[in-house]
Amino acid sequence: EASFSHFLALQEDITPKISDWNPEQVAQFVTKIGFPECAKIAIYHKITGAQIANFEETIWNDTFGIVGINEM
């Protein structure tokens, strides 16, 4: 029984809060939502999850060139 519980703990996917993401995690996110061309931009500009967590239009418009992110 104890080994089964241990196995389940190893299988759990621990995803950090958006506000804790580093630029590489932001790059993975923008790729996953359909903007793979923005991945390099996220890394180059060192965009963190804290910067994108509230979907500020200035980050999305000025840095990524994505207009209307709040309408998605």
Side-chain angles (χ1 to χ4, degrees):
E1 192 172 327
S3 60
F4 180 70
S5 298
H6 183 70
F7 175 75
L8 288 177
L10 291 175
Q11 293 297 314
E12 185 178 341
D13 181 22
I14 300 172
T15 305
K17 295 184 302 184
I18 292 174
S19 59
D20 294 335
W21 288 356
N22 61 36
E24 289 76 19
Q25 290 165 311
V26 172
Q28 290 174 353
F29 171 72
V30 295
T31 298
K32 189 178 279 189
I33 64 169
F35 300 100
E37 65 279 3
C38 294
K40 289 182 181 179
I41 295 169
I43 294 170
Y44 178 80
H45 287 284
K46 297 179 174 73
I47 303 296
T48 64
Q51 293 172 280
I52 66 161
N54 58 3
F55 284 87
E56 283 185 39
E57 285 200 49
T58 54
I59 294 271
W60 294 98
N61 292 347
D62 299 343
T63 305
F64 291 121
I66 300 172
V67 178
I69 192 73
N70 289 328
E71 298 168 13
M72 294 181 97

Short mmCIF file of all heavy atoms in Angstrom, two decimals:
data_model
loop_
_atom_site.label_atom_id
_atom_site.label_comp_id
_atom_site.label_asym_id
_atom_site.label_seq_id
_atom_site.Cartn_x
_atom_site.Cartn_y
_atom_site.Cartn_z
N GLU A 1 0.82 -1.19 0.00
CA GLU A 1 0.00 0.00 0.00
C GLU A 1 0.87 1.26 0.00
O GLU A 1 0.58 2.20 -0.72
CB GLU A 1 -0.93 -0.02 1.21
CG GLU A 1 -2.00 1.03 1.13
CD GLU A 1 -3.03 0.85 2.23
OE1 GLU A 1 -3.29 -0.30 2.64
OE2 GLU A 1 -3.52 1.86 2.67
N ALA A 2 1.93 1.25 0.77
CA ALA A 2 2.81 2.43 0.83
C ALA A 2 3.51 2.67 -0.50
O ALA A 2 3.67 3.81 -0.91
CB ALA A 2 3.85 2.25 1.94
N SER A 3 3.90 1.62 -1.19
CA SER A 3 4.57 1.81 -2.47
C SER A 3 3.61 2.37 -3.52
O SER A 3 4.01 3.12 -4.39
CB SER A 3 5.21 0.51 -2.96
OG SER A 3 4.21 -0.48 -3.12
N PHE A 4 2.33 2.01 -3.44
CA PHE A 4 1.34 2.55 -4.36
C PHE A 4 1.19 4.06 -4.16
O PHE A 4 1.16 4.82 -5.12
CB PHE A 4 0.00 1.85 -4.17
CG PHE A 4 -1.07 2.35 -5.10
CD1 PHE A 4 -1.00 2.07 -6.46
CD2 PHE A 4 -2.11 3.12 -4.64
CE1 PHE A 4 -1.97 2.53 -7.33
CE2 PHE A 4 -3.09 3.59 -5.50
CZ PHE A 4 -3.02 3.30 -6.85
N SER A 5 1.14 4.51 -2.93
CA SER A 5 1.05 5.94 -2.63
C SER A 5 2.28 6.67 -3.14
O SER A 5 2.19 7.77 -3.67
CB SER A 5 0.91 6.18 -1.13
OG SER A 5 -0.28 5.59 -0.66
N HIS A 6 3.42 6.06 -2.97
CA HIS A 6 4.67 6.66 -3.44
C HIS A 6 4.65 6.80 -4.96
O HIS A 6 5.05 7.82 -5.51
CB HIS A 6 5.85 5.81 -2.99
CG HIS A 6 7.17 6.39 -3.36
ND1 HIS A 6 7.68 7.51 -2.78
CD2 HIS A 6 8.09 5.99 -4.27
CE1 HIS A 6 8.85 7.80 -3.31
NE2 HIS A 6 9.13 6.89 -4.22
N PHE A 7 4.15 5.79 -5.65
CA PHE A 7 4.04 5.83 -7.11
C PHE A 7 3.15 6.98 -7.56
O PHE A 7 3.47 7.71 -8.47
CB PHE A 7 3.51 4.50 -7.64
CG PHE A 7 3.27 4.50 -9.12
CD1 PHE A 7 4.33 4.43 -10.00
CD2 PHE A 7 1.99 4.59 -9.62
CE1 PHE A 7 4.11 4.44 -11.38
CE2 PHE A 7 1.75 4.60 -10.99
CZ PHE A 7 2.82 4.53 -11.86
N LEU A 8 2.01 7.16 -6.90
CA LEU A 8 1.10 8.24 -7.26
C LEU A 8 1.74 9.60 -7.07
O LEU A 8 1.55 10.50 -7.86
CB LEU A 8 -0.20 8.14 -6.46
CG LEU A 8 -1.13 7.00 -6.84
CD1 LEU A 8 -2.35 6.99 -5.92
CD2 LEU A 8 -1.57 7.10 -8.28
N ALA A 9 2.52 9.75 -6.03
CA ALA A 9 3.19 11.02 -5.78
C ALA A 9 4.19 11.32 -6.89
O ALA A 9 4.34 12.46 -7.31
CB ALA A 9 3.89 10.99 -4.43
N LEU A 10 4.85 10.30 -7.41
CA LEU A 10 5.80 10.51 -8.49
C LEU A 10 5.11 10.86 -9.80
O LEU A 10 5.67 11.56 -10.62
CB LEU A 10 6.66 9.26 -8.69
CG LEU A 10 7.64 8.95 -7.57
CD1 LEU A 10 8.33 7.60 -7.85
CD2 LEU A 10 8.67 10.05 -7.44
N GLN A 11 3.89 10.40 -9.98
CA GLN A 11 3.15 10.66 -11.20
C GLN A 11 2.50 12.04 -11.24
O GLN A 11 2.10 12.50 -12.27
CB GLN A 11 2.06 9.59 -11.39
CG GLN A 11 2.61 8.21 -11.66
CD GLN A 11 3.38 8.15 -12.96
OE1 GLN A 11 2.93 8.66 -13.97
NE2 GLN A 11 4.55 7.55 -12.93
N GLU A 12 2.40 12.68 -10.08
CA GLU A 12 1.74 13.98 -10.02
C GLU A 12 2.52 15.03 -10.80
O GLU A 12 3.74 15.15 -10.68
CB GLU A 12 1.62 14.42 -8.56
CG GLU A 12 0.85 15.69 -8.37
CD GLU A 12 0.73 16.06 -6.89
OE1 GLU A 12 0.93 15.20 -6.04
OE2 GLU A 12 0.45 17.23 -6.63
N ASP A 13 1.81 15.78 -11.64
CA ASP A 13 2.43 16.83 -12.43
C ASP A 13 2.36 18.12 -11.63
O ASP A 13 1.28 18.65 -11.38
CB ASP A 13 1.70 17.00 -13.77
CG ASP A 13 2.31 18.07 -14.64
OD1 ASP A 13 3.49 18.40 -14.45
OD2 ASP A 13 1.60 18.59 -15.52
N ILE A 14 3.50 18.61 -11.21
CA ILE A 14 3.54 19.82 -10.41
C ILE A 14 3.85 21.00 -11.33
O ILE A 14 4.95 21.12 -11.86
CB ILE A 14 4.59 19.72 -9.29
CG1 ILE A 14 4.24 18.54 -8.39
CG2 ILE A 14 4.67 21.01 -8.51
CD1 ILE A 14 5.30 18.21 -7.37
N THR A 15 2.85 21.83 -11.56
CA THR A 15 2.98 22.98 -12.44
C THR A 15 3.03 24.24 -11.58
O THR A 15 2.12 24.47 -10.78
CB THR A 15 1.80 23.07 -13.41
OG1 THR A 15 1.71 21.84 -14.12
CG2 THR A 15 1.96 24.22 -14.38
N PRO A 16 4.08 25.03 -11.73
CA PRO A 16 4.16 26.25 -10.92
C PRO A 16 3.10 27.27 -11.34
O PRO A 16 2.58 27.23 -12.45
CB PRO A 16 5.56 26.79 -11.21
CG PRO A 16 5.97 26.16 -12.49
CD PRO A 16 5.21 24.87 -12.61
N LYS A 17 2.77 28.17 -10.41
CA LYS A 17 1.83 29.25 -10.71
C LYS A 17 2.42 30.09 -11.84
O LYS A 17 3.64 30.23 -11.96
CB LYS A 17 1.62 30.13 -9.49
CG LYS A 17 0.95 29.45 -8.33
CD LYS A 17 0.70 30.42 -7.19
CE LYS A 17 2.00 31.04 -6.72
NZ LYS A 17 1.86 31.92 -5.57
N ILE A 18 1.56 30.68 -12.65
CA ILE A 18 2.01 31.52 -13.76
C ILE A 18 2.96 32.60 -13.27
O ILE A 18 3.98 32.88 -13.89
CB ILE A 18 0.82 32.15 -14.51
CG1 ILE A 18 0.04 31.07 -15.24
CG2 ILE A 18 1.27 33.22 -15.49
CD1 ILE A 18 -1.24 31.56 -15.89
N SER A 19 2.65 33.20 -12.13
CA SER A 19 3.48 34.30 -11.63
C SER A 19 4.90 33.84 -11.27
O SER A 19 5.80 34.67 -11.14
CB SER A 19 2.82 34.96 -10.42
OG SER A 19 2.62 34.01 -9.38
N ASP A 20 5.12 32.54 -11.16
CA ASP A 20 6.46 32.00 -10.85
C ASP A 20 7.22 31.52 -12.09
O ASP A 20 8.35 31.05 -11.97
CB ASP A 20 6.33 30.83 -9.87
CG ASP A 20 5.82 31.26 -8.51
OD1 ASP A 20 6.00 32.44 -8.15
OD2 ASP A 20 5.24 30.41 -7.80
N TRP A 21 6.61 31.62 -13.27
CA TRP A 21 7.26 31.11 -14.48
C TRP A 21 8.50 31.92 -14.84
O TRP A 21 8.53 33.14 -14.71
CB TRP A 21 6.32 31.19 -15.68
CG TRP A 21 5.21 30.20 -15.67
CD1 TRP A 21 4.98 29.20 -14.77
CD2 TRP A 21 4.15 30.14 -16.61
NE1 TRP A 21 3.84 28.52 -15.12
CE2 TRP A 21 3.31 29.07 -16.24
CE3 TRP A 21 3.83 30.88 -17.74
CZ2 TRP A 21 2.17 28.72 -16.95
CZ3 TRP A 21 2.68 30.53 -18.46
CH2 TRP A 21 1.88 29.46 -18.07
N ASN A 22 9.50 31.22 -15.35
CA ASN A 22 10.69 31.88 -15.89
C ASN A 22 10.47 32.09 -17.40
O ASN A 22 9.46 31.64 -17.95
CB ASN A 22 11.94 31.03 -15.59
CG ASN A 22 11.88 29.65 -16.23
OD1 ASN A 22 11.38 29.46 -17.33
ND2 ASN A 22 12.41 28.66 -15.52
N PRO A 23 11.37 32.80 -18.07
CA PRO A 23 11.18 33.06 -19.51
C PRO A 23 11.00 31.80 -20.36
O PRO A 23 10.23 31.81 -21.32
CB PRO A 23 12.43 33.84 -19.90
CG PRO A 23 12.82 34.54 -18.64
CD PRO A 23 12.51 33.56 -17.55
N GLU A 24 11.67 30.71 -20.01
CA GLU A 24 11.53 29.48 -20.79
C GLU A 24 10.12 28.91 -20.65
O GLU A 24 9.56 28.40 -21.62
CB GLU A 24 12.57 28.45 -20.35
CG GLU A 24 13.99 28.78 -20.77
CD GLU A 24 14.66 29.88 -19.93
OE1 GLU A 24 14.18 30.17 -18.80
OE2 GLU A 24 15.64 30.46 -20.41
N GLN A 25 9.54 29.01 -19.47
CA GLN A 25 8.18 28.53 -19.27
C GLN A 25 7.16 29.43 -20.00
O GLN A 25 6.17 28.94 -20.53
CB GLN A 25 7.85 28.43 -17.78
CG GLN A 25 8.62 27.31 -17.10
CD GLN A 25 8.61 27.41 -15.60
OE1 GLN A 25 8.88 28.46 -15.03
NE2 GLN A 25 8.27 26.31 -14.94
N VAL A 26 7.43 30.73 -20.03
CA VAL A 26 6.59 31.65 -20.79
C VAL A 26 6.68 31.28 -22.28
O VAL A 26 5.66 31.25 -22.98
CB VAL A 26 7.00 33.12 -20.56
CG1 VAL A 26 6.25 34.05 -21.51
CG2 VAL A 26 6.73 33.52 -19.11
N ALA A 27 7.87 30.97 -22.74
CA ALA A 27 8.06 30.58 -24.14
C ALA A 27 7.26 29.32 -24.47
O ALA A 27 6.62 29.24 -25.53
CB ALA A 27 9.54 30.36 -24.43
N GLN A 28 7.26 28.37 -23.58
CA GLN A 28 6.47 27.15 -23.79
C GLN A 28 4.98 27.48 -23.84
O GLN A 28 4.24 26.94 -24.66
CB GLN A 28 6.73 26.14 -22.67
CG GLN A 28 8.10 25.54 -22.72
CD GLN A 28 8.38 24.65 -21.50
OE1 GLN A 28 7.60 24.58 -20.57
NE2 GLN A 28 9.52 23.99 -21.52
N PHE A 29 4.54 28.39 -22.97
CA PHE A 29 3.14 28.78 -22.93
C PHE A 29 2.70 29.45 -24.23
O PHE A 29 1.68 29.08 -24.80
CB PHE A 29 2.88 29.70 -21.74
CG PHE A 29 1.52 30.33 -21.74
CD1 PHE A 29 0.39 29.58 -21.46
CD2 PHE A 29 1.37 31.67 -22.02
CE1 PHE A 29 -0.88 30.15 -21.47
CE2 PHE A 29 0.11 32.26 -22.03
CZ PHE A 29 -1.02 31.50 -21.75
N VAL A 30 3.46 30.45 -24.68
CA VAL A 30 3.04 31.16 -25.89
C VAL A 30 3.05 30.23 -27.10
O VAL A 30 2.24 30.38 -28.01
CB VAL A 30 3.85 32.46 -26.16
CG1 VAL A 30 3.59 33.48 -25.07
CG2 VAL A 30 5.33 32.20 -26.32
N THR A 31 3.95 29.26 -27.09
CA THR A 31 3.96 28.25 -28.16
C THR A 31 2.70 27.41 -28.09
O THR A 31 2.03 27.17 -29.10
CB THR A 31 5.21 27.37 -28.06
OG1 THR A 31 6.36 28.19 -28.23
CG2 THR A 31 5.20 26.27 -29.11
N LYS A 32 2.34 26.99 -26.87
CA LYS A 32 1.18 26.13 -26.67
C LYS A 32 -0.13 26.82 -27.06
O LYS A 32 -1.05 26.18 -27.55
CB LYS A 32 1.11 25.67 -25.21
CG LYS A 32 0.06 24.61 -24.94
CD LYS A 32 0.08 24.17 -23.50
CE LYS A 32 1.19 23.16 -23.32
NZ LYS A 32 1.17 22.51 -22.00
N ILE A 33 -0.22 28.15 -26.87
CA ILE A 33 -1.47 28.85 -27.20
C ILE A 33 -1.50 29.32 -28.65
O ILE A 33 -2.40 30.05 -29.04
CB ILE A 33 -1.77 30.01 -26.23
CG1 ILE A 33 -0.72 31.11 -26.32
CG2 ILE A 33 -1.96 29.50 -24.81
CD1 ILE A 33 -1.11 32.39 -25.59
N GLY A 34 -0.49 28.93 -29.42
CA GLY A 34 -0.54 29.20 -30.86
C GLY A 34 0.33 30.32 -31.38
O GLY A 34 0.14 30.78 -32.50
N PHE A 35 1.30 30.76 -30.57
CA PHE A 35 2.19 31.83 -31.01
C PHE A 35 3.66 31.39 -30.88
O PHE A 35 4.44 31.98 -30.14
CB PHE A 35 1.95 33.10 -30.19
CG PHE A 35 0.55 33.64 -30.30
CD1 PHE A 35 -0.38 33.40 -29.31
CD2 PHE A 35 0.17 34.36 -31.42
CE1 PHE A 35 -1.68 33.89 -29.41
CE2 PHE A 35 -1.12 34.85 -31.53
CZ PHE A 35 -2.04 34.61 -30.53
N PRO A 36 4.05 30.36 -31.62
CA PRO A 36 5.41 29.84 -31.47
C PRO A 36 6.48 30.87 -31.84
O PRO A 36 7.59 30.81 -31.31
CB PRO A 36 5.44 28.64 -32.42
CG PRO A 36 4.35 28.91 -33.40
CD PRO A 36 3.29 29.66 -32.65
N GLU A 37 6.14 31.82 -32.71
CA GLU A 37 7.11 32.85 -33.08
C GLU A 37 7.44 33.77 -31.92
O GLU A 37 8.46 34.48 -31.94
CB GLU A 37 6.60 33.65 -34.28
CG GLU A 37 5.35 34.47 -34.01
CD GLU A 37 4.03 33.70 -34.06
OE1 GLU A 37 4.03 32.47 -34.25
OE2 GLU A 37 3.00 34.37 -33.90
N CYS A 38 6.63 33.76 -30.88
CA CYS A 38 6.86 34.63 -29.71
C CYS A 38 7.76 33.98 -28.66
O CYS A 38 8.19 34.64 -27.72
CB CYS A 38 5.53 35.00 -29.07
SG CYS A 38 4.51 36.03 -30.13
N ALA A 39 8.06 32.71 -28.81
CA ALA A 39 8.88 32.01 -27.83
C ALA A 39 10.27 32.64 -27.70
O ALA A 39 10.75 32.89 -26.59
CB ALA A 39 8.99 30.53 -28.18
N LYS A 40 10.91 32.90 -28.82
CA LYS A 40 12.24 33.52 -28.78
C LYS A 40 12.18 34.93 -28.21
O LYS A 40 13.10 35.37 -27.53
CB LYS A 40 12.87 33.53 -30.16
CG LYS A 40 13.29 32.16 -30.64
CD LYS A 40 13.95 32.23 -32.00
CE LYS A 40 14.33 30.83 -32.46
NZ LYS A 40 14.95 30.86 -33.78
N ILE A 41 11.09 35.63 -28.48
CA ILE A 41 10.92 36.98 -27.96
C ILE A 41 10.84 36.94 -26.44
O ILE A 41 11.45 37.77 -25.75
CB ILE A 41 9.66 37.64 -28.56
CG1 ILE A 41 9.83 37.84 -30.06
CG2 ILE A 41 9.33 38.96 -27.87
CD1 ILE A 41 8.57 38.23 -30.80
N ALA A 42 10.09 35.98 -25.90
CA ALA A 42 9.96 35.84 -24.45
C ALA A 42 11.31 35.61 -23.80
O ALA A 42 11.63 36.23 -22.77
CB ALA A 42 9.01 34.69 -24.11
N ILE A 43 12.11 34.76 -24.40
CA ILE A 43 13.43 34.47 -23.85
C ILE A 43 14.36 35.67 -24.01
O ILE A 43 15.05 36.07 -23.06
CB ILE A 43 14.01 33.20 -24.49
CG1 ILE A 43 13.16 31.99 -24.06
CG2 ILE A 43 15.47 33.00 -24.10
CD1 ILE A 43 13.45 30.71 -24.79
N TYR A 44 14.37 36.29 -25.18
CA TYR A 44 15.25 37.43 -25.44
C TYR A 44 14.96 38.59 -24.49
O TYR A 44 15.86 39.21 -23.96
CB TYR A 44 15.10 37.89 -26.89
CG TYR A 44 15.95 39.09 -27.23
CD1 TYR A 44 17.31 38.94 -27.51
CD2 TYR A 44 15.40 40.37 -27.24
CE1 TYR A 44 18.10 40.04 -27.80
CE2 TYR A 44 16.18 41.47 -27.54
CZ TYR A 44 17.53 41.31 -27.81
OH TYR A 44 18.31 42.41 -28.09
N HIS A 45 13.68 38.88 -24.29
CA HIS A 45 13.28 40.01 -23.44
C HIS A 45 13.15 39.61 -21.97
O HIS A 45 12.75 40.44 -21.15
CB HIS A 45 11.96 40.61 -23.94
CG HIS A 45 12.11 41.39 -25.19
ND1 HIS A 45 12.67 42.64 -25.25
CD2 HIS A 45 11.77 41.08 -26.48
CE1 HIS A 45 12.66 43.08 -26.50
NE2 HIS A 45 12.13 42.14 -27.27
N LYS A 46 13.44 38.34 -21.67
CA LYS A 46 13.37 37.83 -20.30
C LYS A 46 12.00 38.09 -19.66
O LYS A 46 11.88 38.56 -18.54
CB LYS A 46 14.50 38.41 -19.44
CG LYS A 46 15.88 38.02 -19.93
CD LYS A 46 16.97 38.64 -19.06
CE LYS A 46 18.33 38.15 -19.43
NZ LYS A 46 18.85 38.66 -20.68
N ILE A 47 10.95 37.77 -20.42
CA ILE A 47 9.59 37.95 -19.95
C ILE A 47 9.26 36.84 -18.96
O ILE A 47 9.41 35.66 -19.27
CB ILE A 47 8.57 37.92 -21.12
CG1 ILE A 47 8.92 38.98 -22.16
CG2 ILE A 47 7.15 38.08 -20.60
CD1 ILE A 47 8.83 40.40 -21.69
N THR A 48 8.82 37.21 -17.78
CA THR A 48 8.48 36.23 -16.74
C THR A 48 6.97 36.07 -16.65
O THR A 48 6.20 36.88 -17.17
CB THR A 48 9.01 36.67 -15.37
OG1 THR A 48 8.34 37.88 -14.99
CG2 THR A 48 10.52 36.87 -15.39
N GLY A 49 6.56 35.04 -15.93
CA GLY A 49 5.15 34.81 -15.73
C GLY A 49 4.47 35.95 -14.99
O GLY A 49 3.31 36.26 -15.25
N ALA A 50 5.20 36.57 -14.07
CA ALA A 50 4.62 37.69 -13.33
C ALA A 50 4.24 38.82 -14.28
O ALA A 50 3.26 39.52 -14.05
CB ALA A 50 5.62 38.19 -12.28
N GLN A 51 4.98 38.97 -15.35
CA GLN A 51 4.69 40.04 -16.31
C GLN A 51 3.49 39.73 -17.19
O GLN A 51 2.82 40.64 -17.66
CB GLN A 51 5.92 40.30 -17.20
CG GLN A 51 7.09 40.90 -16.42
CD GLN A 51 8.32 40.96 -17.27
OE1 GLN A 51 9.01 39.97 -17.44
NE2 GLN A 51 8.58 42.13 -17.83
N ILE A 52 3.22 38.47 -17.43
CA ILE A 52 2.09 38.12 -18.31
C ILE A 52 0.87 37.64 -17.54
O ILE A 52 -0.19 37.46 -18.12
CB ILE A 52 2.47 37.06 -19.36
CG1 ILE A 52 2.78 35.72 -18.70
CG2 ILE A 52 3.60 37.53 -20.24
CD1 ILE A 52 2.72 34.55 -19.64
N ALA A 53 0.99 37.47 -16.24
CA ALA A 53 -0.08 36.86 -15.44
C ALA A 53 -1.41 37.60 -15.55
O ALA A 53 -2.47 36.97 -15.56
CB ALA A 53 0.34 36.75 -13.99
N ASN A 54 -1.37 38.90 -15.64
CA ASN A 54 -2.63 39.65 -15.69
C ASN A 54 -2.98 40.09 -17.11
O ASN A 54 -3.87 40.91 -17.29
CB ASN A 54 -2.58 40.85 -14.75
CG ASN A 54 -1.44 41.79 -15.07
OD1 ASN A 54 -0.71 41.58 -16.03
ND2 ASN A 54 -1.30 42.82 -14.28
N PHE A 55 -2.27 39.54 -18.09
CA PHE A 55 -2.55 39.82 -19.51
C PHE A 55 -2.56 41.31 -19.82
O PHE A 55 -3.44 41.80 -20.52
CB PHE A 55 -3.86 39.16 -19.96
CG PHE A 55 -3.73 37.68 -20.17
CD1 PHE A 55 -3.91 36.80 -19.12
CD2 PHE A 55 -3.40 37.17 -21.40
CE1 PHE A 55 -3.77 35.44 -19.30
CE2 PHE A 55 -3.26 35.81 -21.60
CZ PHE A 55 -3.44 34.95 -20.54
N GLU A 56 -1.57 42.03 -19.29
CA GLU A 56 -1.45 43.45 -19.62
C GLU A 56 -1.25 43.60 -21.11
O GLU A 56 -0.37 42.99 -21.70
CB GLU A 56 -0.26 44.07 -18.89
CG GLU A 56 -0.50 44.35 -17.44
CD GLU A 56 0.68 45.07 -16.83
OE1 GLU A 56 1.28 45.95 -17.48
OE2 GLU A 56 1.01 44.73 -15.69
N GLU A 57 -2.07 44.42 -21.72
CA GLU A 57 -2.00 44.57 -23.18
C GLU A 57 -0.66 45.14 -23.64
O GLU A 57 -0.22 44.81 -24.74
CB GLU A 57 -3.15 45.44 -23.68
CG GLU A 57 -4.46 44.67 -23.68
CD GLU A 57 -5.50 45.28 -24.59
OE1 GLU A 57 -5.18 45.57 -25.75
OE2 GLU A 57 -6.62 45.46 -24.10
N THR A 58 0.01 45.96 -22.83
CA THR A 58 1.27 46.54 -23.29
C THR A 58 2.32 45.47 -23.54
O THR A 58 3.06 45.55 -24.52
CB THR A 58 1.82 47.58 -22.28
OG1 THR A 58 1.91 46.97 -20.98
CG2 THR A 58 0.93 48.79 -22.21
N ILE A 59 2.40 44.47 -22.68
CA ILE A 59 3.36 43.37 -22.90
C ILE A 59 3.01 42.63 -24.18
O ILE A 59 3.86 42.36 -25.02
CB ILE A 59 3.35 42.38 -21.71
CG1 ILE A 59 3.86 43.04 -20.45
CG2 ILE A 59 4.15 41.13 -22.04
CD1 ILE A 59 5.33 42.98 -20.21
N TRP A 60 1.72 42.28 -24.32
CA TRP A 60 1.30 41.49 -25.47
C TRP A 60 1.41 42.29 -26.77
O TRP A 60 1.85 41.77 -27.78
CB TRP A 60 -0.12 40.97 -25.27
CG TRP A 60 -0.17 39.98 -24.14
CD1 TRP A 60 -0.54 40.24 -22.86
CD2 TRP A 60 0.25 38.62 -24.17
NE1 TRP A 60 -0.40 39.09 -22.10
CE2 TRP A 60 0.08 38.09 -22.88
CE3 TRP A 60 0.74 37.79 -25.18
CZ2 TRP A 60 0.38 36.77 -22.57
CZ3 TRP A 60 1.05 36.47 -24.86
CH2 TRP A 60 0.86 35.97 -23.57
N ASN A 61 1.01 43.57 -26.73
CA ASN A 61 1.06 44.41 -27.94
C ASN A 61 2.47 44.83 -28.28
O ASN A 61 2.95 44.61 -29.41
CB ASN A 61 0.21 45.67 -27.77
CG ASN A 61 -1.27 45.40 -27.68
OD1 ASN A 61 -1.73 44.31 -27.97
ND2 ASN A 61 -2.01 46.40 -27.27
N ASP A 62 3.16 45.46 -27.34
CA ASP A 62 4.46 46.08 -27.61
C ASP A 62 5.60 45.07 -27.70
O ASP A 62 6.50 45.24 -28.51
CB ASP A 62 4.78 47.12 -26.54
CG ASP A 62 3.76 48.25 -26.50
OD1 ASP A 62 3.00 48.40 -27.48
OD2 ASP A 62 3.72 48.97 -25.49
N THR A 63 5.58 44.04 -26.87
CA THR A 63 6.69 43.08 -26.86
C THR A 63 6.46 41.94 -27.83
O THR A 63 7.34 41.60 -28.62
CB THR A 63 6.90 42.53 -25.43
OG1 THR A 63 7.09 43.62 -24.54
CG2 THR A 63 8.12 41.62 -25.38
N PHE A 64 5.27 41.35 -27.78
CA PHE A 64 4.99 40.18 -28.62
C PHE A 64 4.35 40.54 -29.96
O PHE A 64 4.35 39.73 -30.87
CB PHE A 64 4.08 39.19 -27.88
CG PHE A 64 4.74 38.49 -26.72
CD1 PHE A 64 4.22 38.61 -25.45
CD2 PHE A 64 5.85 37.71 -26.90
CE1 PHE A 64 4.79 37.96 -24.37
CE2 PHE A 64 6.45 37.04 -25.84
CZ PHE A 64 5.92 37.18 -24.57
N GLY A 65 3.76 41.73 -30.06
CA GLY A 65 3.07 42.11 -31.29
C GLY A 65 1.72 41.44 -31.46
O GLY A 65 1.21 41.32 -32.57
N ILE A 66 1.12 41.00 -30.35
CA ILE A 66 -0.18 40.36 -30.38
C ILE A 66 -1.22 41.38 -29.94
O ILE A 66 -1.17 41.89 -28.83
CB ILE A 66 -0.22 39.13 -29.45
CG1 ILE A 66 0.83 38.11 -29.89
CG2 ILE A 66 -1.61 38.52 -29.43
CD1 ILE A 66 1.01 36.96 -28.95
N VAL A 67 -2.16 41.64 -30.82
CA VAL A 67 -3.20 42.64 -30.55
C VAL A 67 -4.48 41.91 -30.17
O VAL A 67 -4.81 40.87 -30.73
CB VAL A 67 -3.44 43.53 -31.78
CG1 VAL A 67 -4.54 44.53 -31.54
CG2 VAL A 67 -2.15 44.23 -32.19
N GLY A 68 -5.21 42.45 -29.19
CA GLY A 68 -6.50 41.89 -28.80
C GLY A 68 -6.41 40.68 -27.92
O GLY A 68 -7.33 39.85 -27.91
N ILE A 69 -5.34 40.54 -27.13
CA ILE A 69 -5.17 39.35 -26.28
C ILE A 69 -6.31 39.24 -25.27
O ILE A 69 -6.73 38.14 -24.93
CB ILE A 69 -3.79 39.34 -25.59
CG1 ILE A 69 -3.51 37.99 -24.95
CG2 ILE A 69 -3.69 40.44 -24.55
CD1 ILE A 69 -3.20 36.90 -25.92
N ASN A 70 -6.83 40.35 -24.79
CA ASN A 70 -7.91 40.31 -23.81
C ASN A 70 -9.23 39.87 -24.41
O ASN A 70 -10.18 39.60 -23.70
CB ASN A 70 -8.06 41.66 -23.11
CG ASN A 70 -6.91 41.94 -22.18
OD1 ASN A 70 -6.35 41.03 -21.59
ND2 ASN A 70 -6.54 43.19 -22.06
N GLU A 71 -9.31 39.78 -25.71
CA GLU A 71 -10.53 39.35 -26.38
C GLU A 71 -10.54 37.85 -26.66
O GLU A 71 -11.52 37.33 -27.17
CB GLU A 71 -10.71 40.14 -27.68
CG GLU A 71 -10.85 41.62 -27.45
CD GLU A 71 -10.75 42.43 -28.73
OE1 GLU A 71 -10.81 41.83 -29.82
OE2 GLU A 71 -10.61 43.65 -28.63
N MET A 72 -9.45 37.18 -26.36
CA MET A 72 -9.34 35.74 -26.64
C MET A 72 -10.18 34.94 -25.64
O MET A 72 -10.40 35.26 -24.58
CB MET A 72 -7.90 35.27 -26.56
CG MET A 72 -7.05 35.88 -27.65
SD MET A 72 -5.36 35.29 -27.57
CE MET A 72 -5.46 34.00 -28.77
#
